[in-house]
Amino acid sequence: GSSSPTTSINTSGTSTGAGSSTPYTVNFGFINTTATMTGPWGYAYSKGLLQKWLKADGVTLNLSHFANGPLLTAAMIGGSVDLGVLGDTPGLIAKSQGLPAQFVDQPELDLVAWIVAQPPIHSVTQLAGKTVAVQQGSYLDRYLQGLLVQDGLINKVHRVAMLSAESTPAFEAGSLDAILSSPTQWPLLAKTGKRYNVIAKSEITPSLEGTQVTVATNKILAAHPDIASIWNSVRVKSIQYAEANATAYYQWAAVQGNTTAATEEEAAPLSSYPTPNFTAAGISQLQGTLNFLVSQKEATPFSLQAWEVKSS
Amino acid sequence: MSAVSYDYEVVVGKAAEDSERPIAKRIAGGGLSVWRRIWSSRGTRFLGPLILLGVWQLAVSVGHASPLSLPSPSNVFTTGRHLVANGTLISALLVSLRRVGLGLALGVAIGGSLALLSSLSLVGERLIDPVMHMFRTMPVLALLPLFVVWFGIGEKAKVFIVGWAVVFPIYINLYAGVRSVDEKLVTAGKVLGLGRWGLIRHVILPGALPQFLTGLRLALGVSWLVLVAAEEINATSGLGYMITNAQNLSETNVMFVVLIVFSLLGLATDILVRLIERWTLSWRSSFVTK
Amino acid sequence: MSAVSYDYEVVVGKAAEDSERPIAKRIAGGGLSVWRRIWSSRGTRFLGPLILLGVWQLAVSVGHASPLSLPSPSNVFTTGRHLVANGTLISALLVSLRRVGLGLALGVAIGGSLALLSSLSLVGERLIDPVMHMFRTMPVLALLPLFVVWFGIGEKAKVFIVGWAVVFPIYINLYAGVRSVDEKLVTAGKVLGLGRWGLIRHVILPGALPQFLTGLRLALGVSWLVLVAAEEINATSGLGYMITNAQNLSETNVMFVVLIVFSLLGLATDILVRLIERWTLSWRSSFVTK
Amino acid sequence: MALELRDEVATGSEPAVTQPSAPLRALTGDTAYAGDPAGAAGSARAGEPVVKIRGYGRRFGDRVVLEGVDLDLADGEVAALLGASGSGKSTLLRALCGIDHGADGHVTVPKERAVVFQDHRLLPWKKVWRNVLIGVKGSKADALAALQEVGIAGRADAWPGTLSGGESQRVALARAFIRRPRLLLLDEPFGALDALTRLRMHGLLRELCARHNPATLLVTHDVDEAITLADRILVISDGRISLDHRVGDDASARSGTAALALRARLLSELGVNPNHRPHQNHEKR
Amino acid sequence: MALELRDEVATGSEPAVTQPSAPLRALTGDTAYAGDPAGAAGSARAGEPVVKIRGYGRRFGDRVVLEGVDLDLADGEVAALLGASGSGKSTLLRALCGIDHGADGHVTVPKERAVVFQDHRLLPWKKVWRNVLIGVKGSKADALAALQEVGIAGRADAWPGTLSGGESQRVALARAFIRRPRLLLLDEPFGALDALTRLRMHGLLRELCARHNPATLLVTHDVDEAITLADRILVISDGRISLDHRVGDDASARSGTAALALRARLLSELGVNPNHRPHQNHEKR
Ligand SMILES: Nc1ncnc2c1ncn2[C@@H]1O[C@H](COP(=O)(O)OP(=O)(O)OP(=O)(O)O)[C@@H](O)[C@H]1O
Ligand SMILES: Nc1ncnc2c1ncn2[C@@H]1O[C@H](COP(=O)(O)OP(=O)(O)OP(=O)(O)O)[C@@H](O)[C@H]1O
Ligand SMILES: [Mg+2]
Ligand SMILES: [Mg+2]
């Protein structure tokens, strides 16, 4: 696929089908417990740029946020959300269960995951017989399972499902031997003053890293087939804008995540936001995740190619 | 007297039944005694659930709902049969029953004791009641991390979470029940020579029992609700775990199977409480003819 | 008669009070009338919360808990003052109050109507009661995605979720309340010429009112609990949103501030229901001297 | 016949605790005064009895309390009902009220009824004056007038829970007296009253009867009261009406030797040795 | 003195709805029979009154029901208490029971008391025979014997809710009669009984008094009953004991002209024209 150039408002309504020429609203959903959208497009939104760019295409953006993937996909099924960004695992699972939506782009790659363990554990192999908590169905889970399969530990490590809100305090209290963490959570752990070991970082095994996917419902695509390209173009503009203001961007991200600019740069560098809607590296990461989910019987196989939205 | 005419009615006998007709018709949907007799039979309790099933099937057939949000009854049934056959459902049920049972026992014991202390002693009331009202609005979901810190991530934490949630309906209803016991009976008991424990045992508890049972009904319901939250912590089986899992994996069929299991558990707990009521409140039915 | 000696007691007068001493001491913690008088004053209701505060401070001082899991009262207080000063807390409170208020109104209306239908009509009972028991054990957490599918992600969904959770305590308590109305009074009302609505208005509802208010107490509590779940859906403010957010950002101070707001709301709702009780159940206090 | 049919219904319908609750049964039953012109009953023709009881019987489980009771009451007739404690007087009254759904036989009564229950049955959540007005249209002034007549206007704004036994009973009387019933059912309505108040109430009852001419059934344990007030005295024993005596219409029947003879007869019917007069033959201790 | 002090406590302690609930107050109060040897009361010396009432008064809000009542009851004395409805008879009895916490004055009573309440107060959740045994150690056989005496052994296994008015009253009587009280408080205990049963109960009461010799306070509206049963007749009016008459100890005082004279005096004290005899001067309608 490729990103198409933006088009200006066409009031005559003849250039594209299904009446997309009149201004319309797109309900956009993303995963975050705070109401602010993160990432370059979130930054652009906070500056009022994203709205301006979309306005030029006759699109008004209406943001909604969700605590987890299942709620976002439920909102897409119910028609409350037309376009959404979510983690690849919930996205692939929902698609394999029949989510009536298509794959617009892969806005973020290389989601970084760490395994943090209580001393004296200092390597993944030492996790054998230990308890590791991870949020089920998240990219962290995908990384952990992938790594354990790779190291032949999948049946030796006691893997438990917990939300980070509960696993973090449990880990601090010593009930857990290790937890999965994103670098953004690390400063919080460091704040306790205790010493923990980061025993694995996903940067080393990028094939096990998660990605994000943007999906658009069949409904919105039927009504406004150009929405995918419109969104892609403003996404690219956002990334370019953020790159041009990198320091300010990381600063902004740090405030949103209650972290530091350095942490944000490590966890989600601007380089992990590709401008093309589909990249070979990204698709191969996604395919890896899908294969993994299929092997775990959590998803049924399907063709990513066929899922990609057919740009108008 | 002049021949004024008055309305008469039959209060005993054949016509007495027919005279019930207009109102019976309005409320009961059928005016004939035959209908009343049919509705009185216990089997009609299954009608509501059946209608529900019908509405569900209809909603699916009309096709307004996507199978992702509302799978068809037959699909859910197949999935259910499969889950029963491979033992997943039964073992999850057993695990959860254990947690709920222990949590209930704990919560009823604590909530009941606190309610008695608070409703029977002035100092108890002053010390306990406001604290209970402060705790009961604290959302379990927000307390989960604290539970984890204090009670770990084992079975204990799960049982305590269920117990915590159960305490409040028991406390509130038993407290209200004790306070509503007819004071005339309490003073009578006292004058008749009952001591503190005698009064509690023979007058106050029996008098508060109906409301306690209402509390128990609610507690049974609540315990299944918080089970889902409790089983978000380090669970590898259980109904709550199953449903969260199904949700994460978008397995709507499984989710509905578990929801149906929950609803059947609701029916079962209701029947259980009805049995307890029939057994302990039989004196109430004796008022039937007065 | 031979000079058998019997025990006497003073039942009215100075000594009558002193004779209360042994038992008062055992239960009330202080045997002197002075103590009873002190405990009777309404101000002592704040003692429980104060003790709680003390225990909290102690736990922090002893230092068993990490500041991440249990911040100190003073820290929380500072954070609270800050959140009040910058308006965050107040606006969150107002937003949540609106949701809870609307949800309560909806839930009370629906739960109340269903309870009346079910407790007053045979057919209603057969059709409604089992279905209510089936629904009430279905965990709200698991139903959230269905709510989102059916009611969207706006205010409506949040209000409906609160309403849904409120329906059940209201239903259960009002149903039990109606069924516990003294049948002698119902037949008396009927014989005195009250029609269906007259009976409901003058006999059944007032008779069921105490239990309804117990249900309302529980409903008020439950509404704050589910608010947290409801505000997981696309909320940009509100207390539930604030607490989830704080949890995810590990802002334990903020979390505790919101928990304290919840507990104060619990106290406030209790006082509210007490006022309603004092106003509507004043006839009960008249039994005081009988 | 009718008896068998009822039996079937009585056993078929209400199985113990589960079903229909008190309020439910009351609501699905009929309502006095509710006006059901097309109902099963008709209108009175002059001279016909206003209360017709045929083959009435009542059993609780195995215990037969009343059986095969036949009784007619004419317009304006005041009948006193005597009988041992537990003989079924209140049971019969409940049937006449229309609130007993388990009886056998056939009973027709006028729709306009007023009742004083043995246990008063004031609604505890309604102030005294509102209790008087239950089920009738009237102002507080009407209620106060009725309460004035029974001598407790001063407690009009009290909660029923604070009344003395006699005061509650008088509120119940006021509640009956404010109506214009065709049938007045009084279950030991003066039992908790002192001598003076009782005489006043007798006067009131007479007045009410004179004004509205209802058929009246008065349950009492006081033989003298029955003789003073009633046109007709019924005694229940062994589940049937064992004595049905019409008191003569002239005043002489209620005084002097005629009254004493009647008194003796009634007492002996109730099992008391009629020679046993109060303040006579007991030596104390 | 004591009066002022009580007042202070009475107003200071119990503010309306919020505080202490019924069960709570009962529990934190004292308990009859509970045995408090170190308590404020002592033991009886022979010849001293067993009940001492001094300056007793009771007001409800502004309404003074009783004021400045002084009364002693001796061991074995049977006192009848007459008075208009609402005059405060039950109120006085409640104080003697020890369940009225708002009274003024000073009242001492023996710890062993038995009471029949005007409204019976059977516990609806206990079968009849268990109701009889509340607060006493005894077997079902004991309960049955007591129920036999009041003539309702046949209903021993019934729920109180199914009893007739007179039956409940007799259960309450059985409950009192099974005890060995030093003070027997009876609030209109025979009001709902028919003539025959009432006579039987009179006999039982006499027997009980002969056996245990308790001081007895019997509230009744029946002047004849008072004359037959009591050693002493008290009339309450206008908030005080307006008449305190000792009935002579010989049988003649309870029969013949002496009784009639006493009857007339009591009735006139109660406000009834003593010439007004039943079955005499009312012409009907
Ligand atoms: N629901 C019931 N179940 C069983 N027995 C009952 C029930 N109701 C009444 N009875 C019995 O029926 C008998 C008649 O009761 P009823 O109340 O009619 O007596 P009564 O003549 O009014 O007596 P009293 O003069 O004592 O009021 C009594 O023995 C009573 O115990
Ligand atoms: N809690 C209360 N509040 C207000 N007034 C009360 C209360 N309890 C009793 N009274 C009033 O006190 C008066 C005396 O009541 P009490 O019950 O002692 O009367 P009584 O002499 O027993 O009358 P009866 O013969 O009718 O039983 C009555 O007027 C009653 O209304
Ligand atoms: Mg009766
Ligand atoms: Mg009295």
Side-chain angles (χ1 to χ4, degrees):
Chain A
S2 65
S3 58
S4 53
T6 57
T7 55
S8 56
I9 304 171
N10 184 337
T11 41
S12 69
T14 50
S15 68
T16 49
S20 64
S21 53
T22 47
Y24 59 96
T25 300
V26 170
N27 296 306
F28 185 85
F30 58 94
I31 310 287
N32 200 349
T33 45
T34 71
T36 38
M37 182 161 62
T38 53
W41 48 93
Y43 182 56
Y45 185 87
S46 76
K47 298 285 177 198
L49 295 171
L50 195 69
Q51 298 93 310
K52 208 179 80 190
W53 297 333
L54 284 167
K55 189 97 186 170
D57 287 327
V59 174
T60 311
L61 204 61
N62 179 28
L63 298 187
S64 316
H65 63 101
F66 298 86
N68 52 47
L71 282 179
L72 174 51
T73 48
M76 295 186 99
I77 292 164
S80 310
V81 167
D82 306 313
L83 187 67
V85 177
L86 70 168
D88 53 9
T89 306
L92 292 170
I93 288 172
K95 164 61 190 161
S96 83
Q97 296 286 344
L99 180 74
Q102 295 181 46
F103 184 20
V104 172
D105 60 46
Q106 212 175 356
E108 188 180 2
L109 310 177
D110 311 325
L111 296 177
V112 179
W114 290 359
I115 301 177
V116 183
Q118 310 267 10
I121 301 169
H122 56 80
S123 74
V124 175
T125 40
Q126 282 178 319
L127 285 179
K130 305 285 193 220
T131 307
V132 185
V134 64
Q135 181 174 347
Q136 194 190 30
S138 66
Y139 72 92
L140 299 170
D141 195 11
R142 149 79 183 122
Y143 169 64
L144 175 66
Q145 293 195 50
L147 194 67
L148 294 179
V149 168
Q150 212 171 62
D151 296 0
L153 288 166
I154 189 72
N155 293 320
K156 300 199 181 110
V157 173
H158 187 49
R159 217 163 27 89
V160 300
M162 279 170 90
L163 296 174
S164 73
E166 286 118 33
S167 63
T168 310
F171 179 63
E172 285 164 18
S175 307
L176 294 168
D177 299 310
I179 53 172
L180 269 282
S181 163
S182 73
T184 49
Q185 278 173 291
W186 176 246
L188 298 173
L189 285 170
K191 222 164 48 178
T192 62
K194 294 191 188 137
R195 250 185 53 81
Y196 300 114
N197 296 339
V198 178
I199 60 171
K201 293 186 174 188
S202 63
E203 291 97 318
I204 302 161
T205 51
S207 66
L208 298 180
E209 280 182 336
T211 65
Q212 297 221 60
V213 295
T214 306
V215 293
T217 60
N218 294 345
K219 204 178 94 196
I220 191 84
L221 287 171
H224 306 284
D226 57 343
I227 185 63
S229 53
I230 292 175
W231 173 254
N232 269 319
S233 71
V234 298
R235 185 178 62 83
V236 171
K237 282 189 191 171
S238 302
I239 295 168
Q240 286 160 353
Y241 176 77
E243 276 167 345
N245 304 278
T247 324
Y249 167 75
Y250 288 123
Q251 218 85 57
W252 173 84
V255 171
Q256 305 314 314
N258 197 17
T259 57
T260 62
T263 311
E264 289 297 333
E265 194 165 354
E266 177 169 16
L270 278 168
S271 62
S272 62
Y273 297 97
T275 45
N277 35 3
F278 304 114
T279 61
I283 294 294
S284 103
Q285 272 183 331
L286 194 61
Q287 188 65 54
T289 305
L290 179 59
N291 294 346
F292 174 74
L293 290 173
V294 170
S295 74
Q296 298 298 303
K297 298 208 167 54
E298 289 175 357
T300 47
F302 60 92
S303 155
L304 291 177
Q305 206 88 49
W307 191 29
E308 284 173 16
V309 66
K310 305 296 167 275
S311 287
S312 51
Chain B
M1 298 282 116
S2 58
V4 190
S5 81
Y6 302 103
D7 281 337
Y8 281 74
E9 69 180 328
V10 177
V11 287
V12 172
K14 182 73 187 82
E17 283 163 66
D18 288 338
S19 79
E20 290 182 9
R21 225 199 279 180
I23 289 150
K25 203 186 257 159
R26 224 186 313 155
I27 276 207
L32 294 165
S33 314
V34 181
W35 280 110
R36 281 198 69 73
R37 225 178 307 166
I38 290 176
W39 281 112
S40 296
S41 82
R42 217 161 296 163
T44 50
R45 283 188 72 84
F46 293 103
L47 242 132
L50 282 178
I51 291 176
L52 210 66
L53 198 69
V55 170
W56 178 10
Q57 178 63 60
L58 202 79
V60 170
S61 310
V62 171
H64 272 316
S66 101
L68 255 190
S69 63
L70 193 72
S72 76
S74 61
N75 274 352
V76 170
F77 181 76
T78 315
T79 310
R81 211 169 44 184
H82 175 69
L83 288 173
V84 171
N86 72 13
T88 324
L89 197 59
I90 308 297
S91 72
L93 182 63
L94 290 179
V95 168
S96 291
L97 270 178
R98 205 186 102 92
R99 288 175 186 148
V100 162
L102 290 174
L104 256 178
L106 189 75
V108 170
I110 294 179
S113 319
L114 288 174
L116 285 182
L117 274 177
S118 173
S119 57
L120 293 176
S121 126
L122 181 55
V123 178
E125 209 263 333
R126 292 314 198 205
L127 293 183
I128 296 170
D129 197 54
V131 175
M132 292 303 285
H133 285 289
M134 288 175 72
F135 276 143
R136 80 191 181 86
T137 37
M138 292 191 184
V140 179
L141 277 184
L143 293 177
L144 283 186
L146 299 179
F147 270 97
V148 166
V149 170
W150 293 327
F151 305 114
I153 54 170
E155 284 302 290
K156 201 170 65 178
K158 297 180 190 70
V159 169
F160 280 12
I161 289 165
V162 173
W164 168 272
V166 161
V167 159
F168 301 105
I170 294 285
Y171 175 85
I172 301 271
N173 271 287
L174 184 53
Y175 179 93
V178 170
R179 296 246 154 176
S180 73
V181 172
D182 187 352
E183 198 219 340
K184 293 188 184 192
L185 296 181
V186 179
T187 52
K190 201 187 137 202
V191 171
L192 287 166
L194 290 177
R196 159 189 315 288
W197 299 116
L199 273 182
I200 293 178
R201 205 180 125 210
H202 297 293
V203 187
I204 292 170
L205 287 185
L209 187 62
Q211 275 224 51
F212 170 77
L213 289 176
T214 305
L216 187 64
R217 232 179 244 280
L218 283 166
L220 281 162
V222 158
S223 61
W224 292 112
L225 297 188
V226 290
L227 183 74
V228 175
E231 290 185 349
E232 272 182 6
I233 302 171
N234 180 29
T236 51
S237 71
L239 293 175
Y241 168 78
M242 245 181 117
I243 207 166
T244 316
N245 206 5
Q247 218 172 68
N248 283 329
L249 300 179
S250 292
E251 292 175 348
T252 326
N253 281 349
V254 176
M255 214 177 103
F256 269 75
V257 169
V258 183
L259 278 182
I260 286 167
V261 172
F262 274 118
S263 69
L264 293 179
L265 286 168
L267 271 186
T269 53
D270 176 51
I271 290 168
L272 181 73
V273 178
R274 268 171 200 270
L275 285 177
I276 301 179
E277 277 178 350
R278 191 182 310 186
W279 179 53
T280 56
L281 301 183
S282 50
W283 57 273
R284 271 188 161 195
S285 66
S286 62
F287 285 107
V288 156
T289 52
K290 272 256 151 169
Chain C
M1 299 282 116
S2 59
V4 189
S5 81
Y6 301 102
D7 282 337
Y8 282 75
E9 69 180 328
V10 177
V11 287
V12 172
K14 182 73 187 78
E17 283 162 67
D18 288 338
S19 78
E20 289 183 10
R21 228 199 277 180
I23 289 150
K25 205 187 255 159
R26 224 188 311 154
I27 277 207
L32 295 165
S33 314
V34 182
W35 279 111
R36 280 198 69 74
R37 224 178 308 167
I38 290 176
W39 281 114
S40 297
S41 82
R42 217 160 297 164
T44 51
R45 284 188 72 84
F46 293 104
L47 243 132
L50 282 178
I51 291 176
L52 209 68
L53 199 70
V55 171
W56 177 10
Q57 178 64 60
L58 202 79
V60 170
S61 310
V62 172
H64 273 316
S66 101
L68 256 190
S69 63
L70 193 72
S72 76
S74 62
N75 276 352
V76 170
F77 181 76
T78 314
T79 310
R81 211 170 44 182
H82 175 70
L83 288 174
V84 170
N86 72 13
T88 323
L89 197 60
I90 307 296
S91 72
L93 182 64
L94 290 179
V95 168
S96 291
L97 271 178
R98 204 186 103 92
R99 287 176 187 147
V100 163
L102 290 174
L104 258 178
L106 189 75
V108 170
I110 294 179
S113 318
L114 289 174
L116 285 182
L117 274 177
S118 173
S119 56
L120 293 176
S121 128
L122 181 56
V123 178
E125 209 263 332
R126 292 311 197 205
L127 292 184
I128 296 171
D129 198 55
V131 175
M132 292 303 285
H133 286 289
M134 289 175 71
F135 276 144
R136 78 191 182 87
T137 39
M138 292 190 184
V140 179
L141 277 182
L143 293 177
L144 279 187
L146 298 180
F147 271 98
V148 167
V149 169
W150 292 327
F151 304 114
I153 54 173
E155 284 303 291
K156 201 170 66 178
K158 298 179 190 74
V159 169
F160 279 14
I161 289 166
V162 173
W164 168 272
V166 160
V167 159
F168 302 104
I170 293 285
Y171 175 85
I172 300 271
N173 270 287
L174 185 54
Y175 178 93
V178 170
R179 296 245 155 175
S180 72
V181 173
D182 186 353
E183 198 219 340
K184 294 190 183 190
L185 296 180
V186 180
T187 51
K190 198 186 139 203
V191 171
L192 287 165
L194 291 178
R196 160 188 314 286
W197 298 116
L199 273 182
I200 293 179
R201 204 180 126 208
H202 298 293
V203 186
I204 291 169
L205 287 184
L209 187 62
Q211 275 224 51
F212 170 77
L213 288 176
T214 306
L216 187 63
R217 232 178 243 281
L218 284 165
L220 280 163
V222 157
S223 61
W224 292 111
L225 298 187
V226 290
L227 183 73
V228 175
E231 289 185 350
E232 272 183 6
I233 303 170
N234 186 31
T236 51
S237 73
L239 293 174
Y241 166 76
M242 243 179 119
I243 207 166
T244 318
N245 211 359
Q247 218 173 65
N248 283 309
L249 298 176
S250 287
E251 293 175 344
T252 325
N253 281 349
V254 176
M255 213 179 105
F256 269 76
V257 169
V258 182
L259 276 183
I260 286 168
V261 172
F262 274 119
S263 70
L264 294 179
L265 285 169
L267 272 186
T269 52
D270 176 53
I271 290 168
L272 181 73
V273 178
R274 269 172 198 269
L275 285 176
I276 300 178
E277 277 178 351
R278 191 183 309 188
W279 179 54
T280 56
L281 302 183
S282 49
W283 57 272
R284 271 187 159 196
S285 65
S286 63
F287 285 105
V288 155
T289 51
K290 271 261 153 165
Chain D
M1 12 147 289
L3 209 144
E4 285 165 72
L5 189 123
R6 280 300 308 184
D7 236 35
E8 199 183 314
V9 175
T11 49
S13 59
E14 293 166 11
V17 180
T18 29
Q19 265 331 301
S21 77
L24 164 56
R25 271 182 298 105
L27 281 176
T28 49
D30 57 297
T31 311
Y33 287 18
D36 168 24
S43 295
R45 261 167 287 157
E48 268 205 359
V50 289
V51 172
K52 260 190 270 184
I53 305 178
R54 292 288 174 279
Y56 169 80
R58 183 62 160 110
R59 58 181 74 214
F60 296 106
D62 291 340
R63 254 183 97 223
V64 178
V65 172
L66 290 168
E67 203 171 25
V69 173
D70 295 325
L71 181 70
D72 283 350
L73 285 183
D75 225 16
E77 194 168 36
V78 178
L81 188 59
L82 297 169
S85 168
S87 58
K89 305 179 294 298
S90 301
T91 302
L92 179 59
L93 248 69
R94 275 199 296 276
L96 293 179
C97 288
I99 58 175
D100 185 357
H101 297 286
D104 303 325
H106 198 100
V107 176
T108 315
V109 295
K111 276 198 182 294
E112 292 79 15
R113 300 184 288 262
V115 190
V116 171
F117 290 100
Q118 191 169 6
D119 48 0
H120 318 156
R121 306 199 184 178
L122 306 183
L123 298 182
W125 44 77
K126 289 205 176 277
K127 299 218 160 159
V128 163
W129 71 270
R130 288 196 187 274
N131 256 287
V132 172
L133 291 181
I134 291 167
V136 295
K137 285 190 195 76
S139 64
K140 183 167 183 181
D142 299 332
L144 283 177
L147 287 169
Q148 185 72 56
E149 285 197 321
V150 297
I152 42 169
R155 309 276 298 139
D157 283 314
W159 294 113
T162 67
L163 298 180
S164 80
E167 286 169 341
S168 314
Q169 195 163 48
R170 282 181 283 161
V171 176
L173 277 168
R175 206 159 65 168
F177 287 173
I178 206 173
R179 280 141 220 277
R180 295 163 197 283
R182 298 309 312 149
L183 174 63
L184 184 56
L185 299 166
L186 305 170
D187 202 348
E188 305 186 28
F190 313 124
L193 301 179
D194 58 289
L196 179 63
T197 315
R198 191 183 278 235
L199 287 178
R200 286 211 192 107
M201 295 303 111
H202 288 179
L204 270 181
L205 175 60
R206 275 199 204 87
E207 234 174 71
L208 182 85
C209 289
R211 230 187 294 142
H212 306 310
N213 210 36
T216 304
L217 194 61
L218 166 75
V219 174
T220 180
H221 286 308
D222 186 333
V223 173
D224 297 331
E225 191 169 83
I227 297 173
T228 335
L229 292 174
D231 301 320
R232 188 174 168 190
I233 298 179
L234 307 163
V235 177
I236 292 192
S237 60
D238 296 327
R240 345 194 121 251
I241 294 183
S242 63
L243 185 137
D244 182 353
H245 175 86
R246 278 175 203 277
V247 183
D249 242 5
D250 51 340
S252 71
R254 299 174 199 283
S255 60
T257 47
L260 283 178
L262 179 53
R263 189 176 194 280
R265 187 170 157 212
L266 293 174
L267 283 174
S268 91
E269 188 67 32
L270 290 167
V272 180
N273 171 5
N275 296 326
H276 175 116
R277 297 292 313 275
H279 27 112
Q280 271 178 353
N281 45 1
H282 289 292
E283 70 287 14
K284 240 213 128 198
R285 261 169 255 164
Chain E
M1 10 146 293
L3 208 142
E4 284 167 72
L5 188 125
R6 280 299 309 183
D7 236 35
E8 199 183 315
V9 175
T11 49
S13 59
E14 293 165 14
V17 180
T18 29
Q19 265 332 303
S21 77
L24 164 57
R25 270 183 295 104
L27 281 176
T28 50
D30 57 296
T31 310
Y33 287 20
D36 169 23
S43 295
R45 259 165 290 158
E48 269 204 359
V50 289
V51 173
K52 258 190 269 183
I53 305 178
R54 293 286 175 279
Y56 168 81
R58 183 62 160 113
R59 60 180 71 214
F60 295 106
D62 291 341
R63 253 182 98 221
V64 178
V65 172
L66 290 168
E67 203 170 26
V69 173
D70 297 326
L71 182 70
D72 284 350
L73 285 183
D75 226 16
E77 193 170 37
V78 179
L81 187 59
L82 297 170
S85 167
S87 59
K89 305 178 295 296
S90 302
T91 302
L92 180 59
L93 248 69
R94 275 199 296 276
L96 294 178
C97 289
I99 58 175
D100 185 357
H101 297 285
D104 304 324
H106 198 98
V107 176
T108 316
V109 295
K111 276 198 181 292
E112 292 78 16
R113 300 183 289 261
V115 190
V116 171
F117 290 100
Q118 192 169 6
D119 47 1
H120 316 158
R121 305 200 185 179
L122 306 184
L123 298 182
W125 44 77
K126 288 202 178 278
K127 299 218 160 158
V128 162
W129 70 270
R130 287 194 186 274
N131 256 287
V132 173
L133 291 181
I134 290 167
V136 295
K137 284 188 194 78
S139 64
K140 183 166 183 183
D142 299 330
L144 284 177
L147 288 169
Q148 186 70 55
E149 285 199 319
V150 297
I152 41 170
R155 309 274 299 137
D157 283 314
W159 294 113
T162 67
L163 297 180
S164 80
E167 287 169 341
S168 312
Q169 195 162 48
R170 282 181 283 160
V171 176
L173 277 169
R175 205 160 65 168
F177 288 173
I178 205 173
R179 280 143 219 276
R180 298 164 194 282
R182 297 309 311 148
L183 173 61
L184 183 57
L185 299 166
L186 304 170
D187 202 348
E188 304 185 28
F190 312 123
L193 301 179
D194 59 288
L196 179 65
T197 315
R198 190 183 280 235
L199 287 177
R200 285 211 193 107
M201 294 304 113
H202 288 178
L204 269 181
L205 175 60
R206 275 200 205 88
E207 233 174 73
L208 182 85
C209 288
R211 231 186 294 142
H212 306 310
N213 209 36
T216 304
L217 193 61
L218 166 75
V219 175
T220 179
H221 285 308
D222 186 330
V223 173
D224 296 331
E225 190 169 83
I227 296 172
T228 337
L229 292 173
D231 302 321
R232 189 174 167 190
I233 299 179
L234 306 162
V235 177
I236 292 192
S237 60
D238 296 328
R240 348 194 119 249
I241 295 185
S242 63
L243 184 136
D244 182 351
H245 176 86
R246 277 172 204 280
V247 183
D249 242 6
D250 52 337
S252 70
R254 299 174 200 284
S255 60
T257 48
L260 281 178
L262 178 53
R263 187 176 197 280
R265 189 170 155 211
L266 293 174
L267 283 174
S268 91
E269 188 66 34
L270 289 167
V272 180
N273 174 4
N275 295 327
H276 174 115
R277 296 291 313 274
H279 26 112
Q280 271 178 354
N281 46 2
H282 288 292
E283 69 288 14
K284 241 213 126 197
R285 260 169 255 160

